[in-house]
Amino acid sequence: MNIQAPPRLLELGAQSLLRNEALAIMALEELPIELFPPLFMEAFAGRHTEALKAMVQAWPFPCLPLGALMQDHQPHLDIFQAALDGLDVLLAQEVRPRRWKLQVLDLRRKTHQDFWTLWSGMKVSVCSLLEPEPAQQMQKRCRVEAQAGLKPVQAPVEVLVDLCIKEDTLDETLSYLLKKAKKRGKLLHICCQKLRIFAMPMQSIRKILKVVQLDSIQDLEVNCIWKLATLSRFLPHLGRMGNLRQLLLSRIHILPHTTPDQENCLNQLTAQFLNLPHLQELYLDSVSFLEGRLHQVLRCLNTPLETLSITNCLISESDLTYLSRCPSVSLLKDLGLSGVNLTSLNLESLQVLIERTSATLQELDLDECGIMDSQFSALLPSLSHCSQLTTFSFCGNPISMAVLESLLHHTTGLSKLSHVLYPAPLESYEDVHGTLHLGLLAQLHAQLKQLLCKSGRPSMFWVSASPCPHCGDQILYDTEPILCPCYLPD
């Protein structure tokens, strides 16, 4: 039986003060700063909207991590609106409150998670008192303007938020935030580090992006069923995301017969890469325009990539050849080609690419590539030189036990290689129809384990991943088969 701890004296005091919101608001001017966080938490949990509104205006710290509190309390819309209303009143004042220090309202839910715990327990962290980076940059800009003799202006407040756009209409909280940003213009900056776009009319997307500080976006995912022509309407915004570090484009399609307009759209896309000098990770998934055009996509990259993932796409022999020579992939740490059919291609270029990145490559994903024994064997000498490799996955390829044993011998010298995910060997199938025999698979896996022990690498994690013979779901096999739920009795 759980016994709930009695409320602390500090909590009781905050609850007592909030019984009279007018009195609580009047007390804010003289309230010690260490009492602000616990009082704010009580006001938030108790839905004291007027007190919240006043406390936002008098907040004595550079950053208000509201998102971390929202994660714990799941607030109603009126609570969220009260906090933004308080910020709106603050920005409307020509002379701001004496104790006012708020420069950043952080609505992200996975940051500053220890702030409220530390302050509610009266443990002051040095980090809690430090100004967040956006605020420091803003103050520096204001000082420069003052030294230059420019007319001083009120520094804007930055609202940090991660956006996920996935409905036909905006949710009420985002709509309210955008409304306030439009109202206050340059005094309120919406900064979005992570932006996810799943489904929304392009017109609505563009309206949102007009309000967001595009140079604040570092991680962008566009996962929409778009034609190239639709993507082209988005490209001017992409080109203004100058601090972008991670870009994922998924499900972008072209017509079977390429038109001059489509070629023009593709050229516009690749030209935007010139405006992304900090891009480090590029993910291209299920895009139909890559085949024969990979050089067009990669040639405009300014800096070397750390991650290149091309998944569920068609590429040609010439694409693979260009990839092996491309200057932007010479320092790759993560290479993914999952779902790219390589069966009919000469993998000499892939061998060259692996050799070229052997000093930096840490993760390699060749799942579901249709790689045959002879092709895979040709890659082994290059793989054996990948001194930084930690994870290698090549599930879903028709590989024999003999080639798996050869792989083991080629990679036991790679001291950092800790995880290998391999397909069920061809010998573990009962018939030509691909029926997996779990007993045979267990025997073959045990043989590989014995070889690992003999080679001095018993701790290397070799796991087989194969489709369940009954339902087709992916299942793993370690020291013994991990049975799919469809095998288990009801």
Side-chain angles (χ1 to χ4, degrees), residues 108 142 146 166 179 287 303 362:
R108 298 172 298 173
C142 291
K166 58 181 179 180
K179 178 183 176 181
V287 293
T303 54
Q362 298 175 9

Side-chain angles (χ1 to χ4, degrees), residues 93-204:
Q93 299 176 10
E94 293 186 6
V95 179
R96 293 180 179 176
R98 174 179 61 85
R99 300 178 66 179
W100 172 80
K101 288 186 178 180
L102 183 62
Q103 297 170 21
V104 174
L105 176 62
D106 196 340
L107 300 179
R108 298 172 298 173
R109 302 199 174 198
K110 295 184 179 181
T111 58
H112 305 290
Q113 291 182 334
D114 60 343
F115 176 90
W116 301 106
T117 303
L118 290 168
W119 277 103
S120 63
M122 298 303 293
K123 299 176 182 178
V124 181
S125 167
V126 174
C127 295
S128 302
L129 298 175
L130 294 177
E131 296 175 1
E133 184 177 350
Q136 291 176 336
Q137 293 173 348
M138 190 60 63
Q139 283 197 339
K140 180 178 179 181
R141 185 155 60 245
C142 291
R143 285 196 298 267
V144 170
E145 291 177 353
Q147 292 170 2
L150 300 176
K151 182 180 179 179
V153 295
Q154 289 182 330
V157 173
E158 295 185 341
V159 178
L160 307 184
V161 61
D162 291 332
L163 295 179
C164 182
I165 304 172
K166 58 181 179 180
E167 305 292 343
D168 290 338
T169 57
L170 296 177
D171 64 72
E172 292 179 296
T173 55
L174 180 55
S175 296
Y176 202 75
L177 175 60
L178 296 176
K179 178 183 176 181
K180 293 295 183 183
K182 290 178 181 178
K183 179 181 178 181
R184 291 301 166 195
K186 294 182 179 180
L187 291 179
L188 187 61
H189 286 178
I190 307 298
C191 298
C192 172
Q193 188 176 32
K194 295 181 180 179
L195 175 61
R196 304 282 187 269
I197 303 175
F198 289 98
M200 180 169 279
M202 179 57 66
Q203 183 178 0
S204 300

Side-chain angles (χ1 to χ4, degrees), residues 295-313:
H295 66 287
Q296 289 179 253
V297 176
L298 299 181
R299 68 185 178 187
C300 291
L301 293 173
N302 279 322
T303 54
L305 293 173
E306 292 186 0
T307 297
L308 176 62
S309 176
I310 301 173
T311 56
N312 305 308
C313 300

